Amino acid sequence: MTCSHPSRFASGAFLLLGVLLISISLRSPITGVGPLLDAIRAELHLSAAQAGMLTTLPLLAFAFFSPIAAKLGRKRGLEQALMLSLLLIVSGLVMRSLGTASTLFIGTVIIGAGIAFANVLLPSLMKRDFPTKIATMTSMYVLMMGAGSAMSASLAIPLTEIANQLSINVIPNWAFSLGSLVIFPLIAIVVWLPQLRNHTAPSKDTQALDNHSYLWRNGCAWQITLFLALNSFLMYIFISWLPTILVDNGFSHHEAGVIHGVLQLFTAVPALVLIPFMNKFEDKRLLSFGLTLMALIGILGLLFKPELAMVWGMLFGFGAGGGFIVALALISLRTTSAQQAATLSGMAQFLGYLLAATGPMIIGELHEQTSSWQLPLALCSVSAILWSMFSLLAAKDELIKPMTQSYHTRLERNLS
């Protein structure tokens, strides 16, 4: 009896470590591309729209592979499904780093599929294994995602310099930099191996979702969906193009990479600041509007005073990161059941990632047509204003009413 408690504690600690290591790998393969876009475009002769696709493809994968993830988790269990996720990320990173245009895009899709599986299954695992610490785990989860993003963005250019110093000629320097990110999922695989002895399914909330199709006709559900979608739209534009914007404004590639990394880091800071105090904000409208306002100021600052880009990056990162956390919280706060929340989350993330996928391409095309960042940043400013408006609507203290059984029965009768 006395030995079982330390054993359970060690097992739980190892599981937690595995979750955190997986989290690091869920954004770093994407954010590491931004600082290297110019080098990749020059080496492979890519247009601005093609370069934007490097960030767009993972987002499309997030949207379209998510339904497969839930089925995979039910069939193989969370542990084996998450291992497959890591193996896909490793395979995609290797493929993407072979140095050709075709392998670059194929590898990016594979990475997106792996990340999509983990995006869907990790929250279910945390709810199952850490049911009394969901807020704390969410904080750590988002923090580690931000830390991985910051490291990959900040180290992207220094890693190309290391490749140059080592005279690595087998693959381009940018490919060496992107390939180095494989260290994160490889370590996660080693730590996750003991979990394969288990074969457990997702939580019941994930396994059996009620039919809440009425949410697609519900105004409140659309307000929350558009709040999350506009957040993602702006965030992935900056993940893709901020380094290029900064270089065109006179910053060195190294400085641009550092500022890009700081922005990524500040998207994680709200996870530490906001979540412990989230319940103290009874009216979430002021909080959500304040965060969107911070992001808007960051965009306007970059438009009119780009020399202070570090400050604007911090403001935008904190606002966008905080807005993402509030959006996830609103999905739980404004729904009446776990099943309704899961359906709304699927709706919001599916449409959110689809909208986010268009952002890098639109901005890249606008820049190519105008040879300036003024119009693209102006479009981002207008989007941030719309985001602020939806923050006030989405954060209303009003539950989404479920469809009554009698209405549901009448609707089915009419359809039949």
Side-chain angles (χ1 to χ4, degrees), residues 42-53:
E43 176 83 22
L44 301 179
H45 308 291
L46 302 179
S47 67
Q50 289 174 321
M53 281 294 291

Side-chain angles (χ1 to χ4, degrees), residues 78 120-129 201-204 206:
L78 291 177
V120 172
L121 298 175
L122 263 183
S124 180
L125 181 134
M126 289 191 289
K127 183 172 184 177
R128 186 197 69 191
D129 292 333
S203 65
K204 292 181 180 179
T206 304

Side-chain angles (χ1 to χ4, degrees), residues 14 18 20 25 27 47 54 58 71 114 130 144-145 151 155 188 211 213 222-223 268 291 310 349 368 411:
F14 217 60
L20 296 180
S25 302
R27 290 296 179 269
S47 67
L54 294 179
K71 296 178 182 178
F130 304 95
M144 295 307 290
M145 287 173 58
M151 283 190 289
L155 294 175
N211 180 14
S213 59
W222 275 100
Q223 291 164 7
L291 290 166
M310 180 68 78
Q349 293 198 44
E368 192 165 81
L411 181 61

Side-chain angles (χ1 to χ4, degrees), residues 68-402:
I68 301 174
K71 296 178 182 178
L72 179 67
R74 286 194 296 269
K75 183 177 180 180
R76 304 299 303 176
L78 291 177
E79 292 79 8
Q80 293 185 23
L82 284 167
M83 177 60 80
L84 175 61
S85 166
L86 290 169
L87 291 173
L88 285 171
I89 293 172
V90 168
S91 301
L93 285 168
V94 173
M95 174 73 72
R96 191 175 67 174
S97 302
L98 295 180
T100 68
S102 59
T103 57
L104 177 69
F105 288 104
I106 293 171
T108 298
V109 173
I110 296 173
I111 291 169
I115 294 175
F117 289 165
N119 277 342
V120 172
L121 298 175
L122 263 183
S124 180
L125 181 134
M126 289 191 289
K127 183 172 184 177
R128 186 197 69 191
D129 292 333
F130 304 95
T132 61
K133 301 178 180 178
I134 291 178
T136 302
M137 287 300 300
T138 302
S139 175
M140 297 175 68
Y141 172 68
V142 175
L143 178 64
M144 295 307 290
M145 287 173 58
S149 297
M151 283 190 289
S152 64
S154 299
L155 294 175
I157 298 300
L159 284 171
T160 63
E161 296 170 353
I162 290 174
N164 187 52
Q165 292 171 2
L166 296 176
S167 300
I168 297 176
N169 299 317
V170 179
I171 55 176
N173 290 351
W174 59 263
F176 173 83
S177 179
L178 292 178
S180 299
L181 299 175
V182 78
I183 189 67
F184 295 133
L186 283 177
I187 294 174
I189 285 174
V190 173
V191 174
W192 197 251
L193 280 173
Q195 305 300 329
L196 295 183
R197 292 174 295 186
N198 302 317
H199 183 82
T200 49
S203 65
K204 292 181 180 179
D205 295 333
T206 304
Q207 286 188 49
L209 301 180
D210 276 346
N211 180 14
H212 291 287
S213 59
Y214 63 88
L215 287 173
W216 289 85
R217 302 184 298 276
N218 184 279
C220 295
W222 275 100
Q223 291 164 7
I224 296 171
T225 295
L226 290 171
F227 176 57
L228 179 61
L230 287 166
N231 181 307
S232 301
F233 177 78
L234 290 168
M235 188 67 235
Y236 281 98
I237 286 174
F238 275 76
I239 287 175
S240 301
W241 290 111
L242 180 63
T244 305
I245 293 172
L246 295 176
V247 169
D248 288 349
N249 277 283
F251 290 86
S252 69
H253 284 85
H254 179 75
E255 290 171 334
V258 170
I259 295 172
H260 191 236
V262 169
L263 182 149
Q264 299 297 326
L265 182 61
F266 266 73
T267 63
V269 172
L272 296 176
V273 177
L274 292 181
I275 288 182
F277 303 101
M278 187 72 76
N279 292 333
K280 296 184 178 181
F281 290 93
E282 294 185 5
D283 189 340
K284 302 293 190 296
R285 286 177 294 183
L286 180 61
L287 173 63
S288 60
F289 182 77
L291 290 166
T292 59
L293 188 61
M294 289 179 66
L296 174 60
I297 292 172
I299 297 171
L300 292 174
L302 193 61
L303 179 60
F304 294 110
K305 295 283 288 184
E307 62 271 18
L308 299 177
M310 180 68 78
V311 176
W312 310 134
M314 291 177 181
L315 278 173
F316 178 85
F318 192 95
F324 178 69
I325 293 171
V326 170
L328 294 181
L330 289 174
I331 290 173
S332 298
L333 291 171
R334 297 199 59 189
T335 48
T336 57
S337 68
Q339 292 83 6
Q340 189 189 54
T343 307
L344 176 58
S345 177
M347 170 184 171
Q349 293 198 44
F350 174 72
L351 292 176
Y353 284 129
L354 284 181
L355 180 62
T358 67
M361 289 190 296
I362 292 173
I363 295 302
E365 186 63 26
L366 280 177
H367 173 64
E368 192 165 81
Q369 295 297 325
T370 63
S371 300
S372 169
W373 291 108
Q374 298 296 307
L375 183 57
L377 287 175
L379 175 62
C380 290
S381 301
V382 173
S383 301
I385 292 172
L386 290 173
W387 182 35
S388 298
M389 294 168 58
F390 278 107
S391 74
L392 295 173
L393 296 171
K396 290 185 298 185
D397 186 15
E398 175 187 337
L399 291 176
I400 298 175
K401 295 179 180 179

